[in-house]
Amino acid sequence: MQPQQAIDALTQQFLALGGTLECNASLYRLLIEDGLLTGVEIERESRLSAEPTNTVVLTTGGFQGNTELLARYVLPDTSSVILRANPYSTGDGFMAAMSAGAQASQGLHAFYGHAIAAEPARFDFSNLGEVSQFQGLIAVAVNMRGERFADETAGTGEECLNQALARQPGGGFFIVDADGMEREVLKGVGVVAGAVIERAKTYGALVISSPTLEELFDLLAEQGVPRQRLATEISGYNDAIKNGREPFPPRGKNRYPLSRGPYTAVKVKAGITFTMGGIRIDERTRVLRRSGSTSPLAPVPVERAYVETDAATITIGDDYRQTVIPGLYAAGCDAGNISHTNYMGGLATALTTGMTAGKEAAMFLLARQYS
Ligand SMILES: Cc1cc2nc3c(=O)[nH]c(=O)nc-3n(C[C@H](O)[C@H](O)[C@H](O)COP(=O)(O)OP(=O)(O)OC[C@H]3O[C@@H](n4cnc5c(N)ncnc54)[C@H](O)[C@@H]3O)c2cc1C
């Protein structure tokens, strides 16, 4: 099923069940009186209006589109990353929740994404999948200084390499040899590196191929990568892998040398799909209040597995306390720290937290009606 088909099916189901859908209406802020949620302020065509409600589920998709929040929490310099997501998720849910007294989650530094074919490649939001470079896990990744900068294979996908790539000024290159071009790039994607690279070429990606490593170093030097440094790095890596030693940085899996030409290098930059940190929620997706809740770093008593209560404050043991903002829920990428550096899935997170939050919000409204 394609994303548009899934969205259409979900929309029809929502409308059939009596839901009202309004496009081009943005959450601006949450209205709170005496600590309780009383409404939302909505922006429509640059005008703000207040709408009363006691229940809100925040699902604005994270803050990857907000350079100020990224610079504050994720990366001081955002010029080496490319947005690999819709352009509208600019942290509105996170900021509205923080202004309403919510607590931020752990893991604000982390994000999910894949490397993307860097300039001169040209593409738009509908081509993000086609220009994504999934071959990092089987490649040798070097930065513009000609150095390996991470274990390319760490994490559950390419997310750890991508986060390290984001911190390399100007991005870098993913290099594979002839054997690498035939390797499957990532479990589940079902394509080989050669196909990924060919697809990116059609969008103008900078792809450099050469029959020998020496010639590849010459060509990469023309792109600004110091030749001597790069040659030392690659020969050191090859030597360590061939002789069963650990290169630096280490290489946990896919320990392949670059040994058979032609060699292919693709210019890449980190792509940011969603921020992993966000709003701190409890097991029922209820948004936790900053004041009245203990720090997430506080030692948590083992019996705090799940506590069934509708009270706003849950006290477990003498020291551990969570206070919720009644009626306020967060799901999907707005719910923070479900993934923490390593990727736990985007759609699965949205689906599971969304279903929980919807059910909880409906029960909250019903309980209010009959109380
Ligand atoms: C190219 C690409 C490939 C991906 N591949 C996969 C994959 O294979 N598997 C996987 O699990 N995940 C994948 N993902 C990630 C997945 O799409 C996301 O993790 C998931 O959609 C997040 O769901 P969400 O509901 O939190 O946010 P989103 O689906 O991003 O929805 C957030 C919505 O909120 C809207 N919004 C923002 N601000 C406001 C506001 N103030 N008021 C009202 N609305 C607002 C936005 O316009 C957007 O429509 C991929 C993402 C991309 C971009």
Side-chain angles (χ1 to χ4, degrees):
M1 185 183 267
Q2 290 299 309
Q4 194 54 51
Q5 288 172 292
I7 298 292
D8 288 347
L10 290 168
T11 305
Q12 277 165 24
Q13 173 83 344
F14 178 73
L15 295 176
L17 290 170
T20 307
L21 185 67
E22 190 183 340
C23 294
N24 300 316
S26 304
L27 167 77
Y28 184 67
R29 80 186 160 109
L30 297 164
L31 301 174
I32 302 278
E33 273 172 40
D34 297 333
L36 295 177
L37 185 62
T38 57
V40 284
E41 211 166 12
I42 300 287
E43 185 180 337
R44 294 182 186 86
E45 295 177 355
S46 298
R47 298 186 82 93
L48 293 177
S49 59
E51 314 254 340
T53 180
N54 301 116
T55 313
V56 173
V57 180
L58 295 168
T59 56
T60 65
F63 60 82
Q64 58 280 355
N66 184 316
T67 50
E68 193 263 327
L69 289 180
L70 286 182
R72 196 189 302 174
Y73 298 117
V74 184
L75 284 169
D77 176 8
T78 53
S79 63
S80 291
V81 291
I82 297 171
L83 187 62
R84 185 181 177 272
N86 81 71
Y88 313 111
S89 291
T90 50
D92 294 346
F94 179 76
M95 286 194 291
M98 293 305 113
S99 301
Q103 192 172 30
S105 76
Q106 286 179 282
L108 286 167
H109 66 286
F111 68 92
Y112 171 69
H114 279 280
I116 287 196
E119 65 279 356
R122 302 273 301 181
F123 49 87
D124 63 30
F125 289 101
S126 61
N127 316 125
L128 288 171
E130 284 95 322
V131 291
S132 294
Q133 295 300 287
F134 302 101
Q135 73 274 27
L137 287 168
I138 56 155
V140 174
V142 293
N143 59 23
M144 296 306 289
R145 291 190 301 273
E147 295 161 347
R148 283 182 68 237
F149 51 88
D151 176 349
E152 293 89 340
T153 65
T156 57
E158 213 189 58
E159 74 279 13
C160 294
L161 174 62
N162 186 56
Q163 288 172 74
L165 179 62
R167 291 170 172 85
Q168 310 307 312
F173 285 90
F174 284 177
I175 307 173
V176 289
D177 70 0
D179 295 328
M181 289 292 269
E182 295 307 317
R183 273 190 196 108
E184 196 176 340
V185 288
L186 185 61
K187 248 189 186 160
V189 173
V191 285
V192 295
V196 172
I197 294 168
E198 280 307 312
R199 197 167 58 185
K201 266 190 191 171
T202 64
Y203 292 90
L206 177 59
V207 178
I208 296 171
S209 287
S210 169
T212 66
L213 275 176
E214 291 303 317
E215 273 181 66
L216 187 81
F217 300 152
D218 289 339
L219 294 171
L220 288 178
E222 287 172 18
Q223 300 298 324
V225 182
R227 191 188 188 291
Q228 190 52 48
R229 184 75 204 88
L230 178 65
T232 307
E233 188 79 9
I234 298 297
S235 76
Y237 167 82
N238 273 347
D239 196 43
I241 295 292
K242 284 177 186 165
N243 292 299
R245 284 186 282 106
E246 199 57 77
F248 182 80
R251 173 96 168 188
K253 291 173 277 187
N254 303 337
R255 293 169 63 93
Y256 312 120
L258 293 173
S259 56
R260 192 165 75 83
Y263 301 89
T264 304
V266 185
K267 176 87 193 287
V268 286
K269 278 188 172 175
I272 180 164
T273 302
F274 63 80
T275 40
M276 292 180 176
I279 303 162
R280 191 168 171 222
I281 56 167
D282 71 359
E283 294 88 343
R284 292 166 57 183
T285 68
R286 297 181 296 183
V287 171
L288 295 185
R289 198 189 285 289
R290 186 175 53 248
S291 59
S293 295
T294 39
S295 162
L297 304 180
V300 181
V302 282
E303 61 267 29
R304 185 196 166 269
Y306 185 77
V307 181
E308 191 61 50
T309 173
D310 284 322
T313 303
I314 308 161
T315 307
I316 306 127
D318 292 334
D319 301 321
Y320 198 80
R321 200 162 51 132
Q322 288 187 166
T323 304
V324 303
I325 300 179
L328 187 60
Y329 305 85
C333 299
D334 279 351
N337 206 33
I338 291 172
S339 291
H340 182 102
T341 310
N342 287 19
Y343 175 56
M344 294 286 287
L347 293 171
T349 298
L351 186 71
T352 49
T353 54
M355 282 171 64
T356 303
K359 213 160 55 182
E360 288 286 341
M363 278 166 26
F364 180 84
L365 277 182
L366 275 177
R368 274 185 66 91
Q369 260 175 30
Y370 292 108
S371 65

